Structures are given as C-alpha cells and as structure tokens.
Amino acid sequence: MAQQTSAGDLLQLVRTGSATTRGDLQRVTGLSRATVGQRLDRLFRAGWLREGEAAPGVPSPQGGRPSVRLEFDDRHALVLAADLETRHSRAAALSLTGDVLAETSWPLHLSEGPEHVLGELGARFARLLGDKGLAPASVCGIGLAVPGPVDSASGTLVDPPIMPGWGGFDLSGRLTRAFAEASGAAGGSAPPVPVLVENDANLMAYGEQRTGWPECRAFALVKVSTGIGAGVVVDGSVYRGVDGGAGDIGHIRVPAGEGLDCMCGAQGCLAAVASGRALAARLRAAGVPAASGSDVRALLAEGHPEAAGLARQAGRQVGEVLATVVTLLNPGVLMIAGDLAGTPFLTGVRELLYQRALPRCTAHLDVVTSRLGDRAALVGAAHLVVEHLYAPARAEERLEALGV
C-alpha cells in the first residue's frame, strides 16, 4: 500500500473508520507521533475533526489513559442537494453524513429550460436556508440530480431524451451563480460553492447503497418513473461508463415496443412500453385520467385495478431486460424505485427475472424496493459531494486554501 502521509490521508482514514486514534494512525501510516500530531492539528484548526470519547479497551501507545477516539465533525458545514424531475423538484439541506436538515418541494417543468429552472432552484436554496436559520456561508457544496446521462468530466448532460434544450448547458456554472445571487454572496470574497451534477438513478443507487447496503460490492437500482434508468455502484463507487451513458436501459429495444415512438426519437424502446409515461398514455386511452408517472403512482396507491394490471405487465417487460443486466453484473441487491415501484410492478419483475436469468446469478440476489423513497437522490448527492470535497488530494488543496 502506498504511504499515506498527508493530512487529507489521515482524514480519510478517520472518516472510513480505518484508523480512529492517534496510535492507529501511527501504526497504519508509519508516521512519527510528532508528524501525526502536526497533521491532525491542521484538521482540528479547520474544524473537520473532533475528539470523541476514549476508545474502549484501546490503551495509549505511551501507556496510561486509553486513547481518545477521533471523529469526523459533520457539524462544521452542510450540503445542498436537489433532485429535478420532469414536472416536480425537491431540494434539501443535509449534514455531511447525509442527514436531512431541511427540505422543500414544488411543481417545476424542465421544459422551461435550464436558465429558468436553475435560477429558480438557486432562489429556493436560499429561501430554504433562511427559513431554517442556516447560514449560506456554511454550505460547502451542492449536488444536483438530473434525469439524463451526464458526462462527469464536464458536468453537462449528453443528449438527454426527456430534457430537450439541456444538452451541453453549463449546469454547474449557472447554479453556482444563481445560488450566489439569491443568497447575497455574489461579488463577495468567498470562493464560489462547487456544484456536482450527476444522473438521478446513479445518485439514488449511491444513496441507497451507502445507507442501507454499505457492504454490498455490486448494487443495482432501476428507477421507473417518467422514463426508465439504472444506477450501478461497484466497490463503493458509481459506475458511469466512458461518458456517463451506463445504465440507460430505458432505450434498449424490446419486441413489445415495435412500432411505438420513444421520446429519444427511436422506436421500440423499453421506456415506450413500460415507463410511467407509457402507462399513463394507456390509462388515458382506457378513459382513466392520468397525465404522468406520478398520476399512475397515485392510482396504484388507491389500488386501481387497471393501473395495477398495467404495472404488473410493465414489470414483466422490465424484468426481461433485467435478466440480462443481472447476468452481466451479478449484483447482490437489485432495487426497484420510482413512481411504479410497488407490489404489482415488483411482482412482474420477479416473475420474468427468475424465469429468464441463470439460477447462479439470482441465488444470492435480493430484489427489493427503495428504503429512502423520494429522498434517495438527495442523500446520494450529499454523499457524492462529501466524498469529492474530503478525498485526500482535494482535502489537502482546501486546507491550503484555508491557510491551515
């Protein structure tokens, strides 16, 4: 293992629980007591570490009283996160460990374009902080979940099928400016708040895996709402593919979709037959009022028989595709989330999945529904921001910028 010598490295060891006392840090890094003390002093002065109770049964390397446990101080800053959907948005302020401190939601149409939507989001963030008495200066980063493929290198959407006009737009820059203007920080001396943009299914998967299945090495989540997308977490990291296109299973061609138009411009996509949008269209044709996936969700909650039948059929169609996904990835957990993630849809998924996938690939597979619900992407966004800002190299840069 490469030698871990910087203050950022020591912070990472404490945050992950790999070394939680000064003695542990000396043993793991091979650094002297004095050097470890100097590194830790920087972290204490930045407010990133705190001392907890004495570690039970862990004597000091020099003898005497038990060693004091070191802890990441999640109170020194907070994260803002937003989850944009086609007709609805949700925003929250979260602690550095992913606890929701304040939350709001409102109707919002992505068709109004990124300039307007992100301007409104910046204002909502500022209002949320003000209503809860939280200082804008305490925000260390913003995470943004969007329903489309994201190029993580540039933070831009790449040909998003359900977000016309958003492709290639500077989302991070616009939201940074909008928040600064709305919170009164524009033109000040404080550095701009960094914004990380990620696909919503990826963030949902990350949030669910981090909070519910941290030991699961291969975790897959499928979100079925207006569209259909998947997020995959492998060995604790989001798997994005070469340019953010991994998990876009809603645009796999399926026989049941032959002749049906999809929002991506092609025909025969899985989303054209099994998404919330597709089911809403079928219900309207049958005389049942339903304009979107959220309307289908409400009908399912009421136990509407026709909606339940269509959801089960859609689950079978998605399950047929997931049989290939499970065979390829061999995940330990397959989570179904989104507007259609209820008993009828899950039943349909299981029927086809276990029928078509190899028994070897399902023997140790848990097929479950979301634990975090509508907060999954928000929690995932908070964890993504924290992992980025407090990673060893980035943490070292920030400590130097703070002058500690």
Side-chain angles (χ1 to χ4, degrees), residues 143-155:
L144 178 64
V146 292
V150 175
D151 179 358
S152 59
S154 64

Side-chain angles (χ1 to χ4, degrees), residues 16-365:
T16 59
S18 300
T20 57
T21 68
R22 289 170 172 80
D24 289 342
L25 292 170
Q26 289 174 236
R27 285 188 292 272
V28 170
T29 64
L31 297 174
S32 69
R33 179 188 178 190
T35 301
V36 167
Q38 291 169 356
R39 302 286 192 272
L40 292 179
D41 182 58
R42 298 178 67 200
L43 298 172
F44 280 116
R45 281 187 284 140
W48 295 0
L49 280 187
R50 65 186 174 212
E51 291 186 339
E53 297 179 357
V58 181
S60 167
Q62 287 74 40
R65 292 181 300 173
S67 298
V68 173
R69 187 183 298 277
L70 302 172
E71 300 173 349
F72 178 59
D73 191 342
D74 66 338
R75 300 170 300 187
H76 73 270
L78 58 85
V79 176
L80 292 174
D83 182 13
L84 301 184
E85 298 188 5
T86 53
R87 302 164 64 90
H88 182 267
S89 295
R90 185 179 301 271
L94 302 97
S95 74
L96 299 182
T97 49
D99 296 323
V100 175
L101 306 175
E103 187 176 5
T104 186
S105 62
W106 67 99
L108 186 147
H109 294 268
L110 294 184
S111 59
E112 295 178 321
E115 187 72 32
H116 171 80
V117 168
L118 297 177
E120 170 70 11
L121 178 55
R124 292 276 177 168
F125 275 146
R127 195 177 312 160
L128 179 67
L129 294 173
D131 289 345
K132 295 297 180 178
L134 301 171
S138 66
V139 176
C140 64
I142 298 174
L144 178 64
V146 292
V150 175
D151 179 358
S152 59
S154 64
T156 59
L157 282 154
V158 183
D159 300 325
I162 63 174
M163 300 176 71
W166 286 69
F169 188 87
D170 181 13
L171 306 181
S172 298
R174 176 65 182 112
L175 185 52
T176 295
R177 293 193 302 274
F179 175 64
E181 292 164 2
S183 63
S189 59
V193 176
V195 175
L196 298 184
V197 183
E198 184 56 86
N199 170 262
D200 57 355
N202 284 347
L203 289 179
M204 291 172 71
Y206 195 51
E208 296 277 8
Q209 188 270 338
R210 288 293 301 268
T211 58
W213 285 270
E215 305 304 319
C216 182
R217 294 184 57 196
F219 181 99
L221 177 144
V222 177
K223 179 187 178 184
V224 188
S225 290
T226 299
I228 301 176
V232 177
V233 180
V234 177
D235 289 334
S237 298
V238 173
Y239 178 75
R240 301 179 176 88
V242 296
D243 62 1
D248 204 3
I249 65 171
H251 301 287
I252 293 175
R253 307 291 175 83
V254 293
E258 186 175 351
L260 295 177
D261 294 329
C262 180
M263 287 196 69
C264 71
Q267 288 188 334
C269 296
L270 179 64
V273 295
S275 66
R277 182 190 296 271
L279 267 60
R282 244 172 257 155
L283 287 166
R284 288 197 304 275
V288 180
S292 64
S294 58
D295 291 336
V296 178
R297 178 180 186 171
L299 290 169
L300 291 171
E302 296 169 3
H304 191 283
E306 191 156 2
L310 289 174
R312 182 167 178 170
Q313 180 184 359
R316 289 172 60 85
Q317 290 160 336
V318 173
E320 189 165 5
V321 171
L322 291 180
T324 300
V325 172
V326 165
T327 302
L328 177 65
L329 295 177
N330 188 209
V333 174
L334 173 62
M335 177 174 284
I336 308 300
D339 289 333
L340 303 190
T343 299
F345 188 88
L346 188 65
T347 299
V349 168
R350 284 175 168 154
E351 285 174 354
L352 258 290
L353 176 63
Y354 288 108
Q355 181 185 121
R356 300 294 175 85
L358 292 172
R360 171 69 182 81
C361 296
T362 58
H364 304 288
L365 175 68

